[in-house]
Amino acid sequence: GLAGPEAVHWDADQKIWFVSNFNGDASGDANGFVSKIDSDGALLDLEFMIGTQAHPLHGPRGMRIDGQRLWVADADGLHAFDRHSGEHLEFVDFTAFDPGFLNDVELGPDGSIFLTDTGKARLFRIVDGEISVVAGEDLPAPPNGIVWNPSSASLVLAPWDGARTLMEYEPVAGKLTDGLTLPEGGNMDGLEPWQGGLLIASQVDQAIWHVKDGE
């Protein structure tokens, strides 16, 4: 029953997977949804999160748990849902920034929210509903996936558009630096911490890479 599944996020507390579904046109057809699947792969609720009439889900993509909330990136903004009930709680509207392709979401160490715009090569920061651009023209490649790396106290950005060098953004210093370069692949997408390193999905070579200790 899944329809254009784009991203997956594990809820360790409930032992379930959230799966975001484009279900057609990801840019604005108001019929996207987030499914709930148990740890054995059984579908618990196909359309567990669907948004509201005022703020529907169009093409939900990257997700991140924040306490009792699940933040979900969408075509025109960022939704917050109750991760237990599926109730829509909040919508942060990005239309004033003319988004290209809002993509993945992550939490900073101070609780601020970061959101990538792959379409227009920007990194946004959201604090108490206020949106700011923290990186743009200085980005060497459009950012796709994003994850917090505690070992380097930085946000790791997966580069799109053929680049193979990971980008790292230090929120405290507001500084961008280059990370490790993959020997092959490109168009990196999702990335997650795993066994002391990072798992990275690379679309060019259709591979999953494990980066650890500089290797």
Side-chain angles (χ1 to χ4, degrees):
L2 298 180
E6 203 279 340
V8 61
H9 195 54
W10 173 245
D11 185 329
D13 177 46
Q14 299 188 84
K15 292 183 173 52
I16 58 171
W17 298 100
F18 293 114
V19 179
S20 57
N21 294 259
F22 278 171
N23 192 24
D25 182 5
S27 64
D29 57 7
N31 67 355
F33 56 88
V34 176
S35 302
K36 182 169 71 170
I37 297 175
D38 76 8
S39 59
D40 293 325
L43 182 62
L44 301 175
D45 193 329
L46 180 63
E47 298 185 5
F48 182 57
M49 298 169 179
I50 58 173
T52 65
Q53 186 172 357
H55 303 298
L57 281 175
H58 297 295
R61 44 215 72 164
M63 299 169 283
R64 187 65 61 185
I65 290 173
D66 178 14
Q68 297 307 306
R69 295 180 166 215
L70 179 74
W71 289 105
V72 182
D74 199 7
D76 53 359
L78 191 60
H79 299 262
F81 293 90
D82 185 301
R83 65 186 177 95
H84 291 96
S85 68
E87 177 189 1
H88 191 273
L89 302 175
E90 184 180 351
F91 178 72
V92 183
D93 192 342
F94 275 72
T95 54
F97 289 84
D98 189 23
F101 192 91
L102 302 178
N103 205 330
D104 200 12
V105 57
E106 177 61 296
L107 304 177
D110 61 353
S112 56
I113 304 166
F114 291 86
L115 179 65
T116 61
D117 184 344
T118 309
K120 293 193 173 177
R122 294 178 291 186
L123 177 63
F124 292 102
R125 182 173 182 254
I126 305 100
V127 179
D128 297 328
E130 295 295 320
I131 306 167
S132 61
V133 179
V134 295
E137 294 181 355
D138 48 346
L139 285 166
N144 190 328
I146 182 172
V147 73
W148 175 251
N149 183 4
S151 64
S152 62
S154 65
L155 292 154
V156 181
L157 307 174
W160 192 249
D161 203 21
R164 290 185 288 111
T165 300
L166 294 168
M167 301 169 284
E168 298 202 11
Y169 176 76
E170 299 175 30
V172 175
K175 183 175 66 174
L176 275 167
T177 56
D178 287 342
L180 193 74
T181 299
L182 292 188
E184 301 175 42
N187 280 4
M188 289 179 243
D189 199 335
L191 67 173
E192 286 291 332
W194 186 66
Q195 294 189 358
L198 287 175
L199 283 179
I200 305 169
S202 168
Q203 291 197 20
V204 166
D205 53 353
Q206 300 186 42
I208 303 294
W209 290 81
H210 185 214
V211 175
K212 184 178 180 181
D213 299 330
E215 299 292 338

